[in-house]
Amino acid sequence: MAEERDIVSISLPFASGVAAGLFFFSGTAGPPWAAAAVVSVLLAASVPLVPLVCRKELVPPEVPVAIMFLVAGLFCAVNSILLGLSGDSGPGWSLPQVAVSHLRDTIDGIPYASEGTGALVKALLTGDRSDLPGETVRVFRDSGASHILALSGLHLGMIYLLLSRILSPVGNSPSARRIRYFLIIGLSLFYCLMTGAGASIVRAFLFIFFGETARLLGRERSSIRIFLFSMTLQMALMPQVCTTLAFQLSYLAMAGICFVYPSLEAVYPASEGGHGFNPMRRIWQSASLSISCQLFTTPLVWLRFHTFPEYFLITNLLALPLTSGIMVLTIVTVVLSALGICPAALVCIDDRLIQLLVTCLEIIASL
């Protein structure tokens, strides 16, 4: 509990400082830029003075720490403006770019029978939606499944689970755990860079990084601490990312999962001993997850788009399990196709499942 209180006293003031700095000093007219330069110097000089101003006998010890990180957040935001950093542009690394280009070519070469399947696979695995028909995009939007098309923690999370399963036979010795750690982190980072390092993908990678690091070090993996550490680091590295919708929706959804989902999921307790498959509890867990995310993201979606996905619960209960299966099967299909040994039956099954997903969403969108 003390550690969580400490990270709260650091991360929330820092995030507030970044947001305030971007809000007040991101103007494009001349005077704000000059003011930003002056404030940047003043903020940097004021950081060491905060503990002297806040005497211990007058204020709790958390207050000067919070003020210091508020000032640090302002400093990071102002300097990002002065340096002209952008918020959501991935790094232009050649190797990830070559890899994603090869991946797109491999997907284009898979002989899917249904029109549009290849374009949807490219969107799911690479984030490239340029070949998607407008009707398909509309169906995903109207059914409340747009998050499936946008590369996010959902996609990297599925890849992470797949990597964890594949690497589980490595063992649990100290050396095996280190090997598994570096492989998972390295491959997750490469996929993050390969797909453009968007805000939500970076957030998902940071969650994986902090979670796996805690596991390797034998530390407790607190979802709240991981949430706050990730947000703080991401905003420190790229302050202007907090102005992007992807960043805002990603962290709002994770806030729902961290703060609401555990209580909501506990309403339907597990059976004694926790053994056996309980389909109703699985359905409740999926519904709780969807409701938790929607509670936090709906106000922002309504504010930005004036829409609300009325059937989001049905959509997520049907689409997320299907998408999970499709992602695993599609990855296997793409890998085997790249090796030139993919059976036609596997391509056919993958195609049918993807078309089943689209059909389900078309029915929901028409309600």
Side-chain angles (χ1 to χ4, degrees), residues 34-342:
V38 175
V39 171
S40 177
V41 175
L42 293 176
L43 289 177
S46 68
V47 171
L49 301 178
V50 174
L52 300 177
V53 176
C54 300
R55 297 178 179 275
K56 292 183 178 179
E57 62 270 16
L58 298 178
V59 296
E62 293 84 359
V63 172
V65 173
I67 295 175
M68 287 182 67
F69 277 91
L70 176 68
V71 171
L74 283 166
F75 178 71
C76 286
V78 170
N79 275 282
S80 75
I81 294 170
L82 294 176
L83 294 173
L85 298 177
S86 61
D88 201 18
S89 59
W93 290 24
S94 59
L95 183 58
Q97 287 178 347
V98 170
V100 76
S101 177
H102 182 66
L103 178 58
R104 291 193 191 105
D105 292 342
T106 301
I107 294 171
D108 287 335
I110 299 176
Y112 289 114
S114 302
E115 184 179 358
T117 297
L120 193 51
V121 168
K122 264 197 293 192
L124 289 174
L125 293 185
T126 71
D128 180 6
R129 295 191 284 178
S130 59
D131 294 337
L132 272 179
E135 179 62 20
T136 301
V137 176
R138 184 196 65 79
V139 165
F140 274 80
R141 184 187 65 244
D142 292 349
S143 63
S146 296
H147 57 287
I148 294 176
L149 287 181
L151 277 182
S152 63
L154 171 69
H155 303 77
L156 186 55
M158 291 176 185
I159 292 174
Y160 164 70
L161 291 175
L162 184 60
L163 288 173
S164 299
R165 295 289 178 86
I166 293 173
L167 296 173
S168 59
V170 171
N172 286 313
S173 65
S175 58
R177 287 200 298 269
R178 285 193 290 270
I179 291 171
R180 185 163 53 240
Y181 170 82
F182 285 111
L183 283 174
I184 288 176
I185 296 301
L187 291 173
S188 298
L189 176 60
F190 187 78
Y191 181 77
C192 175
L193 296 173
M194 188 178 73
T195 54
S200 54
I201 285 286
V202 171
R203 192 274 308 157
F205 169 73
L206 290 174
F207 269 58
I208 292 171
F209 173 75
F210 284 122
E212 286 298 306
T213 302
R215 185 204 296 270
L216 182 67
L217 299 177
R219 301 287 298 275
E220 178 189 356
R221 291 187 295 168
S222 167
S223 59
I224 295 176
R225 287 205 296 271
I226 291 173
F227 174 89
L228 294 173
F229 271 125
S230 300
M231 182 178 68
T232 303
L233 181 58
Q234 192 167 357
M235 293 180 74
L237 294 175
M238 188 64 71
Q240 289 185 337
V241 76
C242 74
T243 63
T244 65
L245 185 62
F247 177 91
Q248 295 163 6
L249 288 176
S250 183
Y251 275 96
L252 283 173
M254 288 308 304
I257 294 173
C258 291
F259 299 109
V260 176
Y261 173 71
S263 300
L264 202 57
E265 187 260 352
V267 171
Y268 194 132
S271 57
E272 293 186 9
H275 300 295
F277 176 74
N278 187 337
M280 294 306 296
R281 175 166 166 75
R282 290 293 180 88
I283 293 174
W284 175 249
Q285 287 176 322
S286 298
S288 300
L289 189 66
S290 179
I291 293 169
S292 301
C293 295
Q294 207 71 37
L295 281 174
F296 279 71
T297 58
T298 293
L300 179 59
V301 172
W302 179 260
L303 182 66
R304 293 291 297 269
F305 304 110
H306 302 290
T307 60
F308 175 74
E310 299 177 14
Y311 302 102
F312 74 91
L313 193 55
I314 299 174
T315 296
N316 288 326
L317 287 176
L318 290 175
L320 290 184
L322 261 177
T323 303
S324 301
I326 287 169
M327 286 285 292
V328 173
L329 188 61
T330 299
I331 290 171
V332 174
T333 301
V334 170
V335 170
L336 294 180
S337 296
L339 297 174
I341 55 174
C342 185

